[in-house]
Short mmCIF file of all heavy atoms in Angstrom, two decimals:
data_model
loop_
_atom_site.label_atom_id
_atom_site.label_comp_id
_atom_site.label_asym_id
_atom_site.label_seq_id
_atom_site.Cartn_x
_atom_site.Cartn_y
_atom_site.Cartn_z
N LYS X 1 5.54 -1.13 3.39
CA LYS X 1 4.51 -0.08 3.45
C LYS X 1 4.10 0.29 2.04
O LYS X 1 4.94 0.62 1.19
CB LYS X 1 5.05 1.14 4.19
CG LYS X 1 3.98 2.19 4.35
CD LYS X 1 4.29 3.19 5.44
CE LYS X 1 3.02 3.94 5.68
NZ LYS X 1 2.81 5.18 5.87
N VAL X 2 2.80 0.21 1.75
CA VAL X 2 2.29 0.51 0.41
C VAL X 2 1.85 1.96 0.33
O VAL X 2 1.12 2.46 1.20
CB VAL X 2 1.09 -0.42 0.06
CG1 VAL X 2 0.45 0.01 -1.26
CG2 VAL X 2 1.56 -1.87 -0.03
N HIS X 3 2.32 2.65 -0.71
CA HIS X 3 1.93 4.03 -0.98
C HIS X 3 1.29 4.04 -2.37
O HIS X 3 1.97 3.78 -3.37
CB HIS X 3 3.16 4.95 -0.98
CG HIS X 3 4.05 4.77 0.21
ND1 HIS X 3 3.93 5.51 1.36
CD2 HIS X 3 5.08 3.89 0.44
CE1 HIS X 3 4.85 5.12 2.23
NE2 HIS X 3 5.56 4.15 1.69
N ALA X 4 0.01 4.31 -2.43
CA ALA X 4 -0.72 4.27 -3.70
C ALA X 4 -0.89 5.66 -4.29
O ALA X 4 -1.06 6.64 -3.56
CB ALA X 4 -2.08 3.61 -3.51
N ALA X 5 -0.82 5.71 -5.61
CA ALA X 5 -1.16 6.93 -6.35
C ALA X 5 -2.23 6.55 -7.37
O ALA X 5 -2.18 5.46 -7.94
CB ALA X 5 0.08 7.48 -7.07
N THR X 6 -3.19 7.42 -7.57
CA THR X 6 -4.23 7.17 -8.58
C THR X 6 -4.35 8.37 -9.50
O THR X 6 -4.25 9.52 -9.06
CB THR X 6 -5.60 6.88 -7.93
OG1 THR X 6 -5.94 7.93 -7.02
CG2 THR X 6 -5.59 5.56 -7.18
N GLU X 7 -4.55 8.07 -10.78
CA GLU X 7 -4.65 9.15 -11.78
C GLU X 7 -5.82 10.08 -11.47
O GLU X 7 -5.73 11.29 -11.69
CB GLU X 7 -4.82 8.54 -13.17
CG GLU X 7 -3.57 7.85 -13.69
CD GLU X 7 -3.79 7.18 -15.04
OE1 GLU X 7 -4.80 7.49 -15.70
OE2 GLU X 7 -2.96 6.33 -15.42
N ASP X 8 -6.93 9.51 -10.98
CA ASP X 8 -8.12 10.33 -10.74
C ASP X 8 -8.23 10.82 -9.29
O ASP X 8 -9.20 11.50 -8.93
CB ASP X 8 -9.39 9.58 -11.14
CG ASP X 8 -9.65 8.34 -10.30
OD1 ASP X 8 -8.86 8.06 -9.38
OD2 ASP X 8 -10.65 7.64 -10.57
N GLY X 9 -7.27 10.47 -8.45
CA GLY X 9 -7.28 10.94 -7.07
C GLY X 9 -8.30 10.25 -6.17
O GLY X 9 -8.54 10.70 -5.05
N SER X 10 -8.85 9.13 -6.63
CA SER X 10 -9.89 8.44 -5.84
C SER X 10 -9.33 7.64 -4.68
O SER X 10 -10.06 7.19 -3.80
CB SER X 10 -10.73 7.53 -6.75
OG SER X 10 -9.91 6.61 -7.45
N ALA X 11 -8.01 7.44 -4.64
CA ALA X 11 -7.35 6.78 -3.50
C ALA X 11 -5.89 7.22 -3.48
O ALA X 11 -5.30 7.50 -4.52
CB ALA X 11 -7.43 5.27 -3.64
N GLY X 12 -5.32 7.30 -2.29
CA GLY X 12 -3.92 7.67 -2.16
C GLY X 12 -3.62 9.06 -2.70
O GLY X 12 -4.47 9.96 -2.67
N THR X 13 -2.42 9.24 -3.19
CA THR X 13 -1.98 10.52 -3.76
C THR X 13 -2.56 10.69 -5.17
O THR X 13 -2.52 9.75 -5.97
CB THR X 13 -0.44 10.57 -3.84
OG1 THR X 13 0.11 10.39 -2.54
CG2 THR X 13 0.05 11.89 -4.42
N LYS X 14 -3.07 11.85 -5.48
CA LYS X 14 -3.54 12.11 -6.85
C LYS X 14 -2.33 12.34 -7.74
O LYS X 14 -1.46 13.14 -7.44
CB LYS X 14 -4.46 13.33 -6.90
CG LYS X 14 -4.97 13.64 -8.32
CD LYS X 14 -5.98 14.77 -8.31
CE LYS X 14 -6.37 15.24 -9.69
NZ LYS X 14 -6.83 14.23 -10.61
N GLY X 15 -2.25 11.56 -8.82
CA GLY X 15 -1.12 11.69 -9.73
C GLY X 15 -0.47 10.34 -9.99
O GLY X 15 -1.15 9.32 -10.08
N ASN X 16 0.87 10.36 -10.09
CA ASN X 16 1.59 9.13 -10.40
C ASN X 16 2.53 8.73 -9.26
O ASN X 16 2.54 9.37 -8.20
CB ASN X 16 2.35 9.27 -11.72
CG ASN X 16 3.34 10.44 -11.68
OD1 ASN X 16 3.96 10.72 -10.65
ND2 ASN X 16 3.50 11.12 -12.80
N VAL X 17 3.31 7.69 -9.48
CA VAL X 17 4.20 7.20 -8.41
C VAL X 17 5.23 8.23 -7.97
O VAL X 17 5.57 8.31 -6.79
CB VAL X 17 4.91 5.89 -8.84
CG1 VAL X 17 3.94 4.73 -8.85
CG2 VAL X 17 5.60 6.04 -10.19
N MET X 18 5.69 9.05 -8.89
CA MET X 18 6.66 10.08 -8.52
C MET X 18 6.01 11.13 -7.63
O MET X 18 6.63 11.67 -6.71
CB MET X 18 7.26 10.75 -9.78
CG MET X 18 7.88 9.79 -10.79
SD MET X 18 9.02 8.57 -10.08
CE MET X 18 10.29 9.62 -9.41
N ASP X 19 4.73 11.43 -7.88
CA ASP X 19 3.99 12.37 -7.02
C ASP X 19 3.85 11.80 -5.61
O ASP X 19 3.93 12.54 -4.62
CB ASP X 19 2.60 12.64 -7.61
CG ASP X 19 2.66 13.35 -8.96
OD1 ASP X 19 3.49 14.26 -9.10
OD2 ASP X 19 1.88 12.99 -9.86
N ALA X 20 3.64 10.49 -5.51
CA ALA X 20 3.50 9.85 -4.20
C ALA X 20 4.81 9.93 -3.41
O ALA X 20 4.80 10.18 -2.20
CB ALA X 20 3.07 8.40 -4.36
N ILE X 21 5.93 9.73 -4.09
CA ILE X 21 7.24 9.83 -3.43
C ILE X 21 7.45 11.24 -2.88
O ILE X 21 7.87 11.42 -1.73
CB ILE X 21 8.37 9.47 -4.42
CG1 ILE X 21 8.36 7.97 -4.71
CG2 ILE X 21 9.74 9.90 -3.88
CD1 ILE X 21 9.29 7.56 -5.84
N ALA X 22 7.12 12.24 -3.70
CA ALA X 22 7.30 13.64 -3.28
C ALA X 22 6.35 13.99 -2.14
O ALA X 22 6.75 14.62 -1.15
CB ALA X 22 7.07 14.57 -4.47
N ALA X 23 5.09 13.58 -2.25
CA ALA X 23 4.08 13.92 -1.25
C ALA X 23 4.40 13.33 0.11
O ALA X 23 4.11 13.93 1.15
CB ALA X 23 2.70 13.44 -1.71
N GLU X 24 5.01 12.14 0.12
CA GLU X 24 5.27 11.46 1.38
C GLU X 24 6.72 11.55 1.85
O GLU X 24 7.11 10.97 2.86
CB GLU X 24 4.82 10.00 1.28
CG GLU X 24 3.34 9.89 0.91
CD GLU X 24 2.77 8.51 1.17
OE1 GLU X 24 3.14 7.90 2.20
OE2 GLU X 24 1.96 8.06 0.36
N GLY X 25 7.53 12.29 1.07
CA GLY X 25 8.92 12.51 1.47
C GLY X 25 9.73 11.23 1.60
O GLY X 25 10.55 11.08 2.51
N LEU X 26 9.55 10.32 0.65
CA LEU X 26 10.22 9.02 0.71
C LEU X 26 11.62 9.09 0.10
O LEU X 26 11.87 9.88 -0.81
CB LEU X 26 9.39 7.97 -0.04
CG LEU X 26 7.93 7.81 0.42
CD1 LEU X 26 7.20 6.83 -0.48
CD2 LEU X 26 7.87 7.35 1.87
N GLU X 27 12.52 8.23 0.60
CA GLU X 27 13.88 8.18 0.08
C GLU X 27 14.34 6.73 -0.02
O GLU X 27 13.90 5.88 0.76
CB GLU X 27 14.85 8.95 0.99
CG GLU X 27 14.59 10.45 1.02
CD GLU X 27 15.62 11.19 1.87
OE1 GLU X 27 16.25 10.55 2.75
OE2 GLU X 27 15.80 12.39 1.64
N ALA X 28 15.23 6.46 -0.97
CA ALA X 28 15.72 5.09 -1.16
C ALA X 28 17.16 5.09 -1.66
O ALA X 28 17.62 6.07 -2.27
CB ALA X 28 14.83 4.34 -2.14
N ASP X 29 17.84 3.97 -1.39
CA ASP X 29 19.18 3.75 -1.93
C ASP X 29 19.12 2.96 -3.23
O ASP X 29 19.95 3.12 -4.13
CB ASP X 29 20.03 2.95 -0.94
CG ASP X 29 20.05 3.57 0.44
OD1 ASP X 29 20.44 4.74 0.54
OD2 ASP X 29 19.66 2.88 1.42
N VAL X 30 18.12 2.06 -3.32
CA VAL X 30 17.97 1.16 -4.46
C VAL X 30 16.51 1.16 -4.90
O VAL X 30 15.61 1.13 -4.06
CB VAL X 30 18.40 -0.28 -4.10
CG1 VAL X 30 18.21 -1.21 -5.30
CG2 VAL X 30 19.84 -0.32 -3.63
N ILE X 31 16.30 1.20 -6.22
CA ILE X 31 14.94 1.21 -6.77
C ILE X 31 14.79 0.04 -7.74
O ILE X 31 15.64 -0.17 -8.61
CB ILE X 31 14.66 2.53 -7.53
CG1 ILE X 31 14.81 3.73 -6.60
CG2 ILE X 31 13.26 2.51 -8.15
CD1 ILE X 31 14.81 5.07 -7.32
N PHE X 32 13.70 -0.71 -7.58
CA PHE X 32 13.30 -1.73 -8.54
C PHE X 32 11.96 -1.28 -9.11
O PHE X 32 11.03 -1.01 -8.34
CB PHE X 32 13.14 -3.10 -7.87
CG PHE X 32 14.40 -3.64 -7.25
CD1 PHE X 32 14.42 -4.05 -5.93
CD2 PHE X 32 15.56 -3.77 -7.98
CE1 PHE X 32 15.57 -4.57 -5.34
CE2 PHE X 32 16.72 -4.29 -7.42
CZ PHE X 32 16.73 -4.68 -6.10
N ALA X 33 11.84 -1.23 -10.42
CA ALA X 33 10.62 -0.67 -11.01
C ALA X 33 10.16 -1.41 -12.25
O ALA X 33 10.97 -1.95 -13.01
CB ALA X 33 10.84 0.81 -11.36
N CYS X 34 8.85 -1.45 -12.43
CA CYS X 34 8.24 -2.01 -13.64
C CYS X 34 6.96 -1.23 -13.91
O CYS X 34 6.16 -0.99 -13.00
CB CYS X 34 7.92 -3.49 -13.43
SG CYS X 34 7.23 -4.30 -14.89
N GLY X 35 6.78 -0.81 -15.15
CA GLY X 35 5.59 -0.04 -15.49
C GLY X 35 5.71 0.55 -16.88
O GLY X 35 6.61 0.20 -17.64
N PRO X 36 4.80 1.47 -17.21
CA PRO X 36 4.84 2.09 -18.54
C PRO X 36 6.10 2.93 -18.75
O PRO X 36 6.72 3.39 -17.79
CB PRO X 36 3.57 2.95 -18.57
CG PRO X 36 3.18 3.13 -17.15
CD PRO X 36 3.67 1.94 -16.40
N MET X 37 6.46 3.11 -20.00
CA MET X 37 7.73 3.77 -20.31
C MET X 37 7.88 5.17 -19.72
O MET X 37 8.96 5.51 -19.21
CB MET X 37 7.92 3.80 -21.84
CG MET X 37 9.34 4.04 -22.27
SD MET X 37 10.54 2.84 -21.57
CE MET X 37 10.10 1.37 -22.45
N PRO X 38 6.84 6.03 -19.72
CA PRO X 38 7.02 7.35 -19.09
C PRO X 38 7.41 7.24 -17.62
O PRO X 38 8.22 8.02 -17.12
CB PRO X 38 5.64 8.01 -19.26
CG PRO X 38 5.04 7.34 -20.45
CD PRO X 38 5.51 5.92 -20.38
N MET X 39 6.85 6.27 -16.93
CA MET X 39 7.19 6.06 -15.52
C MET X 39 8.66 5.63 -15.38
O MET X 39 9.39 6.14 -14.53
CB MET X 39 6.29 4.99 -14.91
CG MET X 39 6.68 4.57 -13.50
SD MET X 39 5.77 3.13 -12.93
CE MET X 39 7.09 2.26 -12.06
N LEU X 40 9.11 4.71 -16.24
CA LEU X 40 10.49 4.23 -16.14
C LEU X 40 11.49 5.33 -16.48
O LEU X 40 12.56 5.41 -15.88
CB LEU X 40 10.68 3.01 -17.05
CG LEU X 40 9.83 1.79 -16.69
CD1 LEU X 40 10.14 0.64 -17.65
CD2 LEU X 40 10.04 1.35 -15.25
N ARG X 41 11.13 6.20 -17.41
CA ARG X 41 12.00 7.36 -17.72
C ARG X 41 12.12 8.26 -16.50
O ARG X 41 13.20 8.77 -16.18
CB ARG X 41 11.45 8.14 -18.91
CG ARG X 41 11.58 7.41 -20.23
CD ARG X 41 11.27 8.34 -21.41
NE ARG X 41 11.21 7.57 -22.64
CZ ARG X 41 10.08 7.25 -23.28
NH1 ARG X 41 8.91 7.65 -22.81
NH2 ARG X 41 10.12 6.54 -24.39
#
């Protein structure tokens, strides 16, 4: 299932990937991630 976040709010959740997780109440045991350094932090 794809959950998109956009900086300008033109699709999916407005904001970043962490905002999308919070908005959709998602949970995980294991995370694999690749992206800009602020996101990885």
Side-chain angles (χ1 to χ4, degrees):
K1 184 161 193 222
V2 173
H3 311 268
T6 53
E7 290 176 16
D8 64 1
S10 55
T13 302
K14 180 175 172 53
N16 58 36
V17 288
M18 305 312 298
D19 295 319
I21 288 171
E24 302 196 39
L26 305 175
E27 294 184 338
D29 307 303
V30 179
I31 301 169
F32 298 127
C34 183
M37 199 55 70
M39 173 190 140
L40 297 181
R41 289 192 188 105

